[in-house]
Amino acid sequence: TTFTAGGPQTSFHEHSAGFLGGGQIGYDWQFSSVVLGAVADFDGSSLKTSGTAIDGAFSSQIDFLGTARARLGYAFQTMPRMLYATGGLAFGDVKDSAPISAVGPYPTKSGWRTGWTAGAGAEYMFARGWSVEAQVLYVDLGSTHSINSDDCVVGFKDRAVVTRAGINFHF
């Protein structure tokens, strides 16, 4: 998050924290050791970033997060495991809030946004039809800004690094 007030720029970057919970659906095609796949997921979220600057408290939160991604993996023949890279579309319900004194009468911008995601993961088959998965995704839902009558600009860059783990059932 960036705050500029008619002169030198004051920035702060706070660590985002929160949890995701939801589900995913996907399909894989395997050609020897190469795996091509498509996956979509949707999660409820408590991801939130907050901080303070000269004019007060700022916050940004993602209430819902989803992705539609392709994945390319390598399946090891000696063990039932796969490493993969993934990327595609990201979408989320985002709420950015700034102090009224910083941006005038419209301190909150919220709504659904689209962006992109990329990451990597690993999947391990522990039983027939069942696997456990871990992945890391970088999610970028874009940025917004507000300008008040004093030409003060408050900008939000809505990005997150998401670490996930899950159990999958294979039909």
Side-chain angles (χ1 to χ4, degrees):
T1 303
T2 303
F3 173 69
T4 305
Q9 180 173 323
T10 304
S11 297
F12 61 92
H13 300 280
E14 297 292 329
H15 176 72
S16 295
F19 292 96
L20 295 171
Q24 71 176 12
I25 189 167
Y27 192 83
D28 289 325
W29 298 269
Q30 187 166 352
F31 308 97
S32 185
S33 294
V34 175
V35 178
L36 298 174
V39 64
D41 57 67
F42 188 76
D43 300 296
S45 167
S46 67
L47 294 175
K48 186 172 183 176
T49 299
S50 61
T52 58
I54 297 166
D55 282 8
F58 295 78
S59 69
S60 182
Q61 67 187 49
I62 300 173
D63 292 327
F64 296 98
L65 179 65
T67 68
R69 299 173 280 122
R71 70 180 188 167
L72 173 63
Y74 181 82
F76 294 87
Q77 299 302 317
T78 57
M79 285 185 76
R81 64 183 169 171
M82 177 179 66
L83 299 177
Y84 63 88
T86 186
L89 173 73
F91 54 94
D93 185 23
V94 180
K95 180 189 242 182
D96 295 327
S97 299
I100 291 176
S101 60
V103 294
Y106 305 106
T108 300
K109 287 194 172 188
S110 62
W112 286 90
R113 301 218 194 106
T114 59
W116 61 274
T117 185
E123 192 168 352
Y124 177 77
M125 296 288 288
F126 64 88
R128 184 169 173 80
W130 290 92
S131 68
V132 63
E133 179 178 23
Q135 67 181 219
V136 175
L137 295 175
Y138 176 82
V139 178
D140 186 335
L141 293 175
S143 59
T144 62
H145 70 277
S146 296
I147 303 171
N148 73 2
S149 60
D150 296 328
D151 292 328
C152 291
V153 177
V154 176
F156 292 89
K157 295 179 181 178
D158 294 305
R159 301 174 180 154
V161 175
V162 177
T163 304
R164 297 189 207 188
I167 296 175
N168 299 319
F169 177 72
H170 301 256
F171 294 97

